[in-house]
Amino acid sequence: METDACSIEPIVKTEGPALVSRSSRPGGTIVDVNGIRIGGREIVIMAGPCAVENEEQLSQSARSVRAGGASLLRGGAFKPRTSPYSFQGLGREGLEMLARARNETGMSVVTEVMDTRQVETVARYADMLQIGSRNMQNFPLLKEAGMSSKPILLKRGMMATIDEYLNAAEYILSQGNTQVVLCERGIRTFETSTRYTLDLNAIPILKQRTHLPVIVDPSHGTGIRSIVAPMAKASIAAGADGLLVEVHNRPDSALCDGSQSLFPEEFSKLMEDLRKIAHAVDRTIHVL
Ligand code: PEP
Ligand code: MN
């Protein structure tokens, strides 16, 4: 937080850029993904593997998150990997597998788009387009997403301030697409015990400054399977409108992010706990 040199009073910013600012829609925005309403009283859970790896892996993971109570299926077909030699995703083949998993389970699908040239194709298969942390300030991509008719899941850049994040969302809204969900997914700090530092402050701050729904990704935010559930619960207690959780049918053999992916049984147990926490904050978990 900035402080004025001559004052001990912090300068608290209460507004975001115009279109995303809370004052422009004080009642809040509901983002509707095939009738699943994000940003209202119901908490929406999105879950699935980090990456689409093959038909069996996706289908089994999808069926188990559906059984556990997730409403949206996540899974990357285009993966932004740190190393160019790591598994890059199955591309269009992965999108087709996601579409089949949607037919099989009745879940809507959220998947990442990394490049302006992919937006049209990904939008043909997905119900919601994810823009990843590494692309939060890819301005051409944000503009293209703003011209899409699909809802957008915009993840916070790992080095982005709240102001930069809100400006990124503003890019999408400025092109006419108001269906944007924000997702806190951890930021880089000096701490090395976890993959990132999940910034739970961001939840109430964003809720104050913007009308857009806010969800949390405790999987990338921690990078450690055993602390995903506690941080997921804390996120709901702090006012998040939903969660994005990595769950894999066999995390030990995952091609991507296995060590932060929950086993299906762990996910089911987490969902049971989340129902209690949701109740405590006067909310309910959306059921498909
Ligand atoms: C993901 O959700 O698959 C992902 C790559 O996350 P992030 O962009 O937050 O790193
Ligand atoms: Mn991942």
Side-chain angles (χ1 to χ4, degrees), residues 50 74 79 195 220 246 256-257 260:
C50 178
R74 64 145 291 146
K79 293 303 303 175
R195 186 175 178 189
H220 292 89
E246 286 185 342
C256 185
D257 287 350
Q260 68 191 32

PDB file of all heavy atoms in Angstrom, residues 50 74 79 195 220 246 256-257 260, ligand 2:
ATOM      1  N   CYS A  50      -4.715 -30.411 -14.202  1.00  0.00           N
ATOM      2  CA  CYS A  50      -3.992 -29.264 -14.741  1.00  0.00           C
ATOM      3  C   CYS A  50      -4.099 -29.303 -16.262  1.00  0.00           C
ATOM      4  O   CYS A  50      -4.535 -28.348 -16.889  1.00  0.00           O
ATOM      5  CB  CYS A  50      -2.524 -29.342 -14.302  1.00  0.00           C
ATOM      6  SG  CYS A  50      -1.528 -28.009 -14.970  1.00  0.00           S
ATOM      7  N   ARG A  74     -12.256 -28.153 -15.290  1.00  0.00           N
ATOM      8  CA  ARG A  74     -11.093 -27.437 -15.798  1.00  0.00           C
ATOM      9  C   ARG A  74     -10.118 -28.432 -16.440  1.00  0.00           C
ATOM     10  O   ARG A  74     -10.176 -29.628 -16.172  1.00  0.00           O
ATOM     11  CB  ARG A  74     -10.382 -26.643 -14.705  1.00  0.00           C
ATOM     12  CG  ARG A  74      -9.767 -27.451 -13.583  1.00  0.00           C
ATOM     13  CD  ARG A  74      -8.457 -26.844 -13.055  1.00  0.00           C
ATOM     14  NE  ARG A  74      -7.398 -26.950 -14.054  1.00  0.00           N
ATOM     15  CZ  ARG A  74      -6.441 -26.053 -14.240  1.00  0.00           C
ATOM     16  NH1 ARG A  74      -6.393 -24.973 -13.502  1.00  0.00           N
ATOM     17  NH2 ARG A  74      -5.507 -26.244 -15.167  1.00  0.00           N
ATOM     18  N   LYS A  79      -0.944 -25.520 -22.833  1.00  0.00           N
ATOM     19  CA  LYS A  79      -0.323 -25.287 -21.536  1.00  0.00           C
ATOM     20  C   LYS A  79       0.849 -24.312 -21.606  1.00  0.00           C
ATOM     21  O   LYS A  79       1.769 -24.511 -22.407  1.00  0.00           O
ATOM     22  CB  LYS A  79       0.207 -26.619 -20.960  1.00  0.00           C
ATOM     23  CG  LYS A  79      -0.852 -27.630 -20.587  1.00  0.00           C
ATOM     24  CD  LYS A  79      -1.871 -27.111 -19.574  1.00  0.00           C
ATOM     25  CE  LYS A  79      -1.287 -26.626 -18.276  1.00  0.00           C
ATOM     26  NZ  LYS A  79      -2.343 -26.021 -17.401  1.00  0.00           N
ATOM     27  N   ARG A 195       4.919 -22.659  -3.445  1.00  0.00           N
ATOM     28  CA  ARG A 195       5.217 -22.299  -4.838  1.00  0.00           C
ATOM     29  C   ARG A 195       4.992 -20.805  -5.066  1.00  0.00           C
ATOM     30  O   ARG A 195       5.788 -20.125  -5.712  1.00  0.00           O
ATOM     31  CB  ARG A 195       4.321 -23.138  -5.765  1.00  0.00           C
ATOM     32  CG  ARG A 195       4.633 -22.976  -7.229  1.00  0.00           C
ATOM     33  CD  ARG A 195       3.786 -23.923  -8.090  1.00  0.00           C
ATOM     34  NE  ARG A 195       4.061 -23.740  -9.495  1.00  0.00           N
ATOM     35  CZ  ARG A 195       3.360 -24.302 -10.472  1.00  0.00           C
ATOM     36  NH1 ARG A 195       2.341 -25.095 -10.178  1.00  0.00           N
ATOM     37  NH2 ARG A 195       3.658 -24.090 -11.737  1.00  0.00           N
ATOM     38  N   HIS A 220      -2.426 -23.654  -7.537  1.00  0.00           N
ATOM     39  CA  HIS A 220      -1.212 -22.928  -7.936  1.00  0.00           C
ATOM     40  C   HIS A 220      -0.772 -21.993  -6.815  1.00  0.00           C
ATOM     41  O   HIS A 220       0.415 -21.743  -6.655  1.00  0.00           O
ATOM     42  CB  HIS A 220      -1.468 -22.153  -9.231  1.00  0.00           C
ATOM     43  CG  HIS A 220      -1.675 -23.063 -10.395  1.00  0.00           C
ATOM     44  ND1 HIS A 220      -2.911 -23.542 -10.734  1.00  0.00           N
ATOM     45  CD2 HIS A 220      -0.799 -23.629 -11.267  1.00  0.00           C
ATOM     46  CE1 HIS A 220      -2.788 -24.363 -11.773  1.00  0.00           C
ATOM     47  NE2 HIS A 220      -1.525 -24.431 -12.118  1.00  0.00           N
ATOM     48  N   GLU A 246      -7.160 -28.081  -8.757  1.00  0.00           N
ATOM     49  CA  GLU A 246      -6.625 -29.167  -9.581  1.00  0.00           C
ATOM     50  C   GLU A 246      -6.837 -30.519  -8.901  1.00  0.00           C
ATOM     51  O   GLU A 246      -6.432 -30.724  -7.756  1.00  0.00           O
ATOM     52  CB  GLU A 246      -5.137 -28.926  -9.872  1.00  0.00           C
ATOM     53  CG  GLU A 246      -4.965 -27.808 -10.895  1.00  0.00           C
ATOM     54  CD  GLU A 246      -3.531 -27.574 -11.340  1.00  0.00           C
ATOM     55  OE1 GLU A 246      -2.585 -28.016 -10.649  1.00  0.00           O
ATOM     56  OE2 GLU A 246      -3.345 -26.929 -12.390  1.00  0.00           O
ATOM     57  N   CYS A 256       1.659 -32.896 -15.430  1.00  0.00           N
ATOM     58  CA  CYS A 256       1.777 -31.477 -15.075  1.00  0.00           C
ATOM     59  C   CYS A 256       1.159 -31.238 -13.693  1.00  0.00           C
ATOM     60  O   CYS A 256       0.018 -31.659 -13.457  1.00  0.00           O
ATOM     61  CB  CYS A 256       1.009 -30.686 -16.151  1.00  0.00           C
ATOM     62  SG  CYS A 256       1.133 -28.923 -16.008  1.00  0.00           S
ATOM     63  N   ASP A 257       1.901 -30.633 -12.794  1.00  0.00           N
ATOM     64  CA  ASP A 257       1.376 -30.203 -11.490  1.00  0.00           C
ATOM     65  C   ASP A 257       0.765 -31.311 -10.633  1.00  0.00           C
ATOM     66  O   ASP A 257      -0.158 -31.053  -9.845  1.00  0.00           O
ATOM     67  CB  ASP A 257       0.354 -29.069 -11.686  1.00  0.00           C
ATOM     68  CG  ASP A 257       1.023 -27.750 -12.065  1.00  0.00           C
ATOM     69  OD1 ASP A 257       2.273 -27.670 -11.996  1.00  0.00           O
ATOM     70  OD2 ASP A 257       0.310 -26.810 -12.441  1.00  0.00           O
ATOM     71  N   GLN A 260       0.584 -30.830  -6.697  1.00  0.00           N
ATOM     72  CA  GLN A 260      -0.411 -29.926  -6.095  1.00  0.00           C
ATOM     73  C   GLN A 260      -1.840 -30.388  -6.418  1.00  0.00           C
ATOM     74  O   GLN A 260      -2.801 -29.723  -6.042  1.00  0.00           O
ATOM     75  CB  GLN A 260      -0.201 -28.484  -6.568  1.00  0.00           C
ATOM     76  CG  GLN A 260      -0.500 -28.269  -8.054  1.00  0.00           C
ATOM     77  CD  GLN A 260      -0.042 -26.919  -8.583  1.00  0.00           C
ATOM     78  OE1 GLN A 260       0.958 -26.378  -8.122  1.00  0.00           O
ATOM     79  NE2 GLN A 260      -0.765 -26.345  -9.512  1.00  0.00           N
TER      80      GLN A 260
HETATM   81 MN    MN B   2      -1.476 -26.401 -13.210  1.00  0.00          MN
END
